[in-house]
């Protein structure tokens, strides 16, 4: 997460004549939580006191043909992550398990054995009782077409075996849309005969200087939908996700609480399928004055870098 999108964006506007098929129900708000971070307690507070009903647990990493959490413990046997997920589920929250991220790769990118890939993803489903998987594809991984093909074939087969299964792909984006490699990920799904339930765009870290990050996120969403529909006209806003990095981004831009309110309002009015952000662990102010606006700080993994109340971005996105 929070990786630079490199490449030439390919913006294709939706065809006015396209008649999309009925869209699936919106997935709602599902903020990312770094399960290997020291601030996971904010997730519990978000669920029990701020009405969060779904979250995205990050990240499962491919390790050859095995899978581990970011803290290097195995899927289904992680003494830190597993109890946190179980507690959240006991409190009524549904879980999306995300593989990959800025520092790792999903299993299809580290293993070439199709059967092992599908067994690995099935183990995530079985171990945590989930029906939604996310694949966060960043850096050089986005250009690996063979891995994308393996991943989409796995999703087609797993959907057949698990009828309630949905999946998302989380991709870097620029304000004018996905890179050409990002569009190719959507094409890989079509070639495999499977439709991506949510194309989730990382509206962050553009490295294009200061700009209104709310307007940039909306522009990226509009452009991405056009690109999705250029591959398959049945895609609609319900198949789109928007995921900013709250507060100070790695490129020193700032996604503010006002930006959060404007993006949430636009997403609701357009039926966007998923809103998320990176990350629940950061949805609090930082301890020092420098991190609260006296001086623009570097991005932190445990606070937003802007002056805010605890879980204020959660409330803005969750309609509180």
């Amino acid at each position: 997460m929070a990786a630079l999108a490199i490449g030439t964006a390919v913006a294709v506007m939706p065809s006015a004549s396209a008649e999309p098929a009925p869209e699936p129900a919106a997935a709602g708000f599902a903020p990312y939580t770094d399960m290997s971070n020291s601030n996971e307690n904010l997730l519990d507070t978000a669920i029990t006191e701020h009405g969060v009903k779904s979250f995205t647990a990050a990240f499962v990493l491919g390790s050859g043909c095995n899978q581990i959490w970011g803290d290097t413990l195995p899927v289904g046997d992680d003494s830190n992550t597993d109890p946190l997920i179980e507690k959240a589920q006991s409190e009524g929250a549904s879980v999306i398990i995300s593989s990959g991220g800025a520092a790792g790769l999903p299993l299809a990118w580290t293993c070439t054995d199709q059967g092992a890939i599908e067994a690995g993803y099935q183990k995530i489903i079985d171990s945590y009782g989930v029906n939604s998987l996310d694949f966060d594809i960043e850096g050089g991984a986005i250009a690996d077409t063979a891995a994308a093909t393996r991943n989409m074939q796995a999703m087609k087969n797993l959907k057949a075996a698990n009828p309630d299964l949905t999946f998302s792909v989380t991709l870097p984006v620029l304000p004018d849309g996905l890179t050409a490699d990002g569009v190719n990920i959507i094409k890989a799904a079509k070639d495999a005969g499977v439709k991506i339930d949510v194309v989730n765009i990382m509206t962050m870290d553009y490295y294009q200087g200061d700009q209104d990050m709310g307007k940039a996120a909306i522009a990226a969403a509009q452009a991405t939908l056009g690109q999705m529909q250029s591959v398959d006209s049945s895609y609609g806003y319900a198949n789109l996700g928007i995921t900013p990095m709250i507060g100070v981004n790695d490129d020193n831009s700032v996604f503010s609480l006002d930006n959060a309110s404007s993006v949430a309002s636009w997403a609701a009015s357009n039926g966007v399928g998923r809103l998320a952000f990176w990350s629940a662990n950061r949805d609090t102010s930082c301890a020092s004055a420098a991190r609260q606006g006296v001086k623009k700080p570097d991005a932190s993994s445990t606070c937003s870098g802007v002056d805010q109340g605890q879980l204020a971005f959660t409330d803005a996105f969750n309609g509180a």
Side-chain angles (χ1 to χ4, degrees):
M1 191 67 67
L4 171 62
I6 301 174
T8 303
V10 181
V12 182
M13 294 308 295
S15 169
S17 61
E19 297 183 0
E23 297 173 345
F29 176 52
Y32 281 82
T33 298
D34 183 349
M35 305 307 293
S36 304
N37 181 287
S38 62
N39 228 16
E40 306 98 330
N41 62 298
L42 281 177
L43 171 64
D44 186 66
T45 304
I47 294 168
T48 58
E49 300 180 23
H50 292 255
V52 169
K53 301 298 185 185
S54 182
F55 72 99
T56 307
F59 288 106
V60 169
L61 310 179
S63 178
C65 286
N66 296 312
Q67 293 179 111
I68 56 175
W69 283 98
D71 55 10
T72 73
L73 294 174
V75 165
D77 191 22
D78 187 319
S79 58
N80 177 63
T81 297
D82 291 7
L84 291 171
I85 291 176
E86 183 178 357
K87 183 177 182 182
Q89 290 172 320
S90 74
E91 293 167 344
S94 62
V95 186
I96 301 166
I97 304 291
S98 184
S99 297
L105 299 167
L107 185 60
W109 274 256
T110 65
C111 179
T112 58
D113 183 325
Q114 192 68 36
I117 293 167
E118 293 172 17
Y121 293 156
Q122 185 67 54
K123 184 174 182 180
I124 297 175
I125 295 167
D126 295 340
S127 295
Y128 302 106
V130 298
N131 62 8
S132 188
L133 302 178
D134 175 60
F135 301 95
D136 188 308
I137 308 166
E138 305 188 32
I142 199 171
D144 188 339
T145 55
T149 297
R150 292 192 293 269
N151 203 71
M152 296 309 174
Q153 186 61 50
M155 288 300 97
K156 180 180 180 180
N157 294 343
L158 287 170
K159 274 178 168 279
N162 304 269
D164 295 331
L165 179 66
T166 63
F167 79 101
S168 53
V169 293
T170 296
L171 301 170
V173 75
L174 294 169
D176 55 355
L178 298 169
T179 66
D181 287 329
V183 174
N184 285 338
I185 296 288
I186 302 171
K187 290 179 179 177
K190 184 175 183 180
D191 290 344
V194 65
K195 184 173 179 178
I196 302 168
D197 296 290
V198 176
V199 176
N200 181 38
I201 54 174
M202 291 181 280
T203 55
M204 61 183 80
D205 287 344
Y206 304 122
Y207 289 87
Q208 294 181 341
D210 288 338
Q211 59 185 305
D212 185 312
M213 293 293 281
K215 290 181 179 178
I218 292 169
Q222 292 170 324
T224 298
L225 178 61
Q227 293 168 302
M228 292 162 61
Q229 291 183 338
S230 74
V231 177
D232 182 343
S233 64
S234 70
Y235 280 117
Y237 275 125
N239 303 113
L240 184 72
I242 302 174
T243 298
M245 182 176 180
I246 58 174
V248 178
N249 282 219
D250 297 301
D251 67 353
N252 216 33
S253 58
V254 177
F255 186 89
S256 68
L257 283 166
D258 285 344
N259 293 151
S261 296
S262 65
V263 170
S265 176
W266 182 86
S269 65
N270 286 277
V272 168
R274 182 180 300 168
L275 277 178
F277 61 71
W278 184 261
S279 63
N281 317 65
R282 303 180 68 249
D283 196 4
T284 188
S285 61
C286 301
S288 70
R291 291 193 178 279
Q292 295 193 25
V294 176
K295 176 184 176 183
K296 187 183 287 186
D298 295 329
S300 167
S301 63
T302 56
C303 57
S304 68
V306 300
D307 191 7
Q308 65 160 106
Q310 188 179 80
L311 296 169
F313 281 95
T314 293
D315 291 340
F317 276 99
N318 208 28

